[in-house]
Amino acid sequence: MGRLRREMERSQPNGSGADAIGAVNREMPERSVAPGGLGPRTKGATMTTRLVALALLCLVTGTAMAQEAKVTSLMSKDLPESPGREIMVITVEHAPGGSNPVHRHNAHAVVYVLEGSVVMQVKGGKEVTLTPGQTFYEGPDDVHVVDRNASSSKPAKFLVFLIKDKGAPALLPVE
C-alpha cells in the first residue's frame, strides 16, 4: 500500500507536494537533486531552469517565424495596351534557410536576384540555383514547386516583375 501511495503522490500536480518536475519526495526531501545531479534543488535552480526553457522556446518560435518570406510591393501600373492587365514589381526576402510553399502566380513572372542565392524550380522543370544578376521565368500556368534560400546562414533577396490580371493576387497557394 505504501508503494501505491507514493506512486499516486508522484502523479499529483505541482502545489500539492510535488516539486518543479512533478516528483513528490516527502520522506527524504534532501534526496531531491538539481538537474545534473550537482546538489539539492533550490528555488533559484528551478527558476533558472524554467527561464532557460522559456528562452529556448522563444528562440525556436522566433526562428520559425523568421522563415517566412518578406514581400514588399514596389509598384503597380496599369498596362493601357492590354486593358484589364497590370505590371507589379515586388521584392522577396528570404531569411537564412527560408522558403515559400508551393504556389503559382497566374501571371508572367520574371525573377532577378539581388543578394544571396536562391533555388527555384517549376513543376516539370529542373531545379536551378541563382546568384546576384541571374534571372528566372515562370509562365501563367507554371506551378512554383521550389522557392527557397540556398543558404542557411545568409539572407537572399530578389525582385519579381509580374504581368497579371488587374487586381488579381500576386501569389496563389497550391495544395
Side-chain angles (χ1 to χ4, degrees), residues 57-123:
L57 178 63
C58 290
L59 181 62
V60 169
T61 303
T63 301
M65 291 176 64
Q67 302 306 309
E68 293 182 23
K70 177 185 174 191
V71 177
T72 305
S73 179
L74 300 178
M75 71 168 285
S76 179
K77 178 81 173 145
D78 290 352
L79 296 174
E81 314 74 38
S82 298
R85 306 274 285 165
E86 67 182 348
I87 186 168
M88 177 181 269
V89 182
I90 61 174
T91 58
V92 178
E93 296 177 64
H94 283 306
S99 65
N100 274 326
V102 175
H103 64 274
R104 61 182 305 126
H105 298 287
N106 290 350
H108 294 277
V110 177
V111 171
Y112 179 84
V113 180
L114 298 169
E115 302 171 12
S117 58
V118 293
V119 180
M120 301 281 178
Q121 180 183 10
V122 293
K123 189 173 184 176

Side-chain angles (χ1 to χ4, degrees), residues 13-19:
N14 285 340
S16 60
D19 70 2

Side-chain angles (χ1 to χ4, degrees), residues 12-72:
Q12 293 175 346
N14 285 340
S16 60
D19 70 2
I21 59 172
V24 174
N25 194 348
R26 287 191 185 126
E27 296 161 28
M28 298 181 0
E30 70 278 1
R31 296 207 51 197
S32 180
V33 177
L38 301 176
R41 181 185 310 271
T42 64
K43 285 186 179 185
T46 300
M47 183 59 92
T48 300
T49 302
R50 288 180 181 171
L51 288 173
V52 168
L54 180 61
L56 288 172
L57 178 63
C58 290
L59 181 62
V60 169
T61 303
T63 301
M65 291 176 64
Q67 302 306 309
E68 293 182 23
K70 177 185 174 191
V71 177
T72 305

